[in-house]
Amino acid sequence: GYLALLAQLTIAMASLEVISQWSLLQFDFPPDPVLLEKFQPENTVPTGLEIGWDRIYLGIPRLRAGVPATLAWIPRSLPPGVSPVLQAYPDWSWHTTGRGDINCTGLISVYRVRADRCNRLWVLDAGVITSLDDFRRVCPPKILIFDMATDRLVRSVYFPRELLRPSSLLTNIVLDDSRSSASRHSSTCDNLFAYISDTVAPGIIVYDGRRDNAWRVTHASMYPDPDLGEYDIGGEKFTLMDGVVGLAHSPAQGLLYYQPLATDRVFSVSTAVLASGPPAEGTDLPVNLVGRKSSQGLGIAVDPRDDTIVFSPMTETAIAAWNPITNSHRVLAQDSEKLQFCAEVRWAERDNGAVWALSTRFHKYFKRSVSKHEINVRVLRVKEPGYGGGYIPVQTHVLRRAANF
């Protein structure tokens, strides 16, 4: 019985701060009539959020035609609740695909980005355009790493072709720098692992930054559950059979948590196993079922201070926290308007560990029913004391601990 959850949640509403919000995204365009002419704001919806020291970065994949820039930023210093125009990152020359000129050294389609400890931005480029309509693979997927101080490209990573499938769509990336050895040599910045979700040909690509080597793992749990491919947000239903997309890393537990979109479950796999190299032929990945949620969700994060899992059950339009060690449940925020489809939930290292979210009303874009007269996209922050101090206790379980797989 999850119904009591909503009654419990009314007291949590005040703890959401709107950082920025838009009815439709707008860009600071260069003097280029072609870009302006091709822009279709009703097709332009972000899926990725990263919080830098002075900027907020948004990944805006080319799900359909008409996306001008696939990676953009806004300043962090703006007053709350404003609708800033987006700046192309690192600049417009990387986004010629927006005017129809496909250049594979530029940025093609970015779902998510991550900042590392060396102040570099890891940009995962899927290389696929119009992925919701005709799924055109125009370039090989890649990672471009930018120095956020200079906005210069410092490294490019391409994947061996045998790791990719015709329908591969690389949508998420998390960084693991807890596996690096103590030796302080010059390349410590590259001494990390990246775990990358392949959502449509379900699997996880492991990238070893120090050795510049990559391999692929897969497991039945990374596939969509056909019984859970329909979503309900405020009575609006839509169907999307997406596999593994939500990723979160717990350094202390040595675990990668992951979830397909079409599931009510959260799974984990040991990062020691992932990092140990390509799995031997015929061996099964040792996956654990962590728990079951009240509904499906996309964004997921780990608070490394106590290993709490923070997630957003879609039907409940909430942000919830669950500690798998103590089995304690908390609801950080619930808002049937502001928390529709959280494409990202982030534990923000560069904001004293506050929880941030990107809510997009993706279902409206997906069903082509988005209205320019309503707020559709929000960058939100869960305000203290909603997190860390005065948790709102929940009687009902938003996430049930798994007894066994």
Side-chain angles (χ1 to χ4, degrees):
Y2 292 114
L3 288 174
L5 173 66
L6 294 175
Q8 281 288 320
L9 285 174
T10 45
I11 42 171
M13 296 241 238
S15 62
L16 270 184
E17 177 189 2
V18 178
I19 302 290
S20 292
Q21 57 183 12
W22 299 266
S23 52
L24 296 169
L25 297 184
Q26 295 298 329
F27 293 79
D28 187 5
F29 282 105
D32 182 343
V34 182
L35 257 177
L36 265 172
E37 178 197 338
K38 290 195 183 282
F39 178 32
Q40 296 184 54
E42 69 284 359
N43 287 349
T44 305
V45 57
T47 56
L49 169 70
E50 181 56 290
I51 301 98
W53 290 117
D54 47 8
R55 293 174 180 175
I56 297 162
Y57 298 89
L58 296 173
I60 311 162
R62 298 187 193 280
L63 304 174
R64 292 187 167 123
V67 177
T70 187
L71 176 59
W73 65 274
I74 56 172
R76 238 181 96 170
S77 55
L78 299 171
V82 295
S83 310
V85 292
L86 304 186
Q87 309 291 329
Y89 188 84
D91 62 55
W92 282 102
S93 69
W94 291 81
H95 300 274
T96 59
T97 307
R99 57 192 316 282
D101 303 337
I102 288 159
N103 174 356
C104 288
T105 59
L107 291 168
I108 305 300
S109 187
V110 173
Y111 284 81
R112 284 174 186 85
V113 297
R114 287 293 176 266
D116 69 14
R117 292 234 173 120
C118 294
N119 207 39
R120 303 181 308 176
L121 192 67
W122 291 57
V123 178
L124 178 65
D125 184 350
V128 174
I129 60 169
T130 53
S131 49
L132 280 184
D133 293 338
D134 56 1
F135 199 89
R136 288 178 52 208
R137 175 172 308 291
V138 293
C139 296
K142 60 183 180 285
I143 301 170
L144 296 181
I145 306 173
F146 293 93
D147 179 339
M148 289 189 286
T150 62
D151 300 332
R152 289 208 176 104
L153 178 70
V154 290
R155 189 169 179 190
S156 309
V157 175
Y158 289 87
F159 302 101
R161 280 184 57 180
E162 62 268 21
L163 302 190
L164 304 167
R165 306 291 177 262
S167 60
S168 280
L169 188 68
L170 306 188
T171 58
N172 204 349
I173 177 170
V174 295
L175 305 177
D176 174 4
D177 59 12
S178 67
R179 317 207 62 78
S180 56
S181 56
S183 63
R184 310 296 302 166
H185 48 79
S186 57
S187 62
T188 36
C189 285
D190 293 324
N191 202 355
L192 49 66
F193 282 81
Y195 311 118
I196 295 151
S197 60
D198 187 341
T199 297
V200 184
I204 288 172
I205 291 175
V206 180
Y207 173 67
D208 178 344
R210 191 162 62 94
R211 295 186 182 84
D212 192 32
N213 191 11
W215 51 92
R216 179 187 181 94
V217 298
T218 190
H219 188 269
S221 59
M222 297 175 191
Y223 282 72
D225 180 333
D227 297 327
L228 288 162
E230 187 181 62
Y231 314 88
D232 185 333
I233 300 179
E236 265 196 77
K237 293 184 166 63
F238 65 106
T239 300
L240 198 57
M241 286 294 172
D242 271 3
V244 57
V245 59
L247 299 177
H249 171 236
S250 164
Q253 299 289 310
L255 292 175
L256 177 70
Y257 293 106
Y258 64 87
Q259 55 183 6
L261 184 60
T263 188
D264 61 357
R265 292 157 199 244
V266 176
F267 302 94
S268 72
V269 61
S270 151
T271 51
V273 170
L274 292 178
S276 64
E281 196 108 16
T283 56
D284 223 11
L285 199 64
V287 165
N288 284 307
L289 172 59
V290 177
R292 294 184 65 174
K293 302 168 295 172
S294 46
S295 62
Q296 309 98 320
L298 207 167
I300 186 167
V302 168
D303 182 337
R305 296 172 296 195
D306 62 359
D307 282 299
T308 295
I309 299 171
V310 186
F311 61 102
S312 175
M314 203 179 285
T315 304
E316 289 72 24
T317 56
I319 296 174
W322 174 63
N323 189 306
I325 302 152
T326 63
N327 201 29
S328 62
H329 295 259
R330 301 283 184 263
V331 171
L332 308 184
Q334 194 280 333
D335 193 306
S336 56
E337 177 65 27
K338 293 188 180 120
L339 292 176
Q340 292 183 29
F341 200 96
C342 288
E344 286 263 46
V345 175
R346 299 299 312 275
W347 182 83
E349 193 175 10
R350 290 163 171 83
D351 187 29
N352 300 315
V355 171
W356 289 52
L358 170 67
S359 75
T360 67
R361 300 180 98 197
F362 173 80
H363 50 296
K364 304 263 188 196
Y365 288 89
F366 183 64
K367 295 174 79 170
R368 300 185 188 275
S369 64
V370 66
S371 161
K372 62 171 190 265
H373 304 297
E374 298 169 4
I375 298 292
N376 294 296
V377 177
R378 293 174 174 90
V379 173
L380 306 152
R381 183 174 179 269
V382 177
K383 278 198 301 197
E384 305 279 359
Y387 193 57
Y391 272 138
I392 296 119
V394 196
Q395 272 75 51
T396 49
H397 284 347
V398 192
L399 200 153
R400 292 200 298 277
R401 191 202 295 258
N404 50 24
F405 196 0

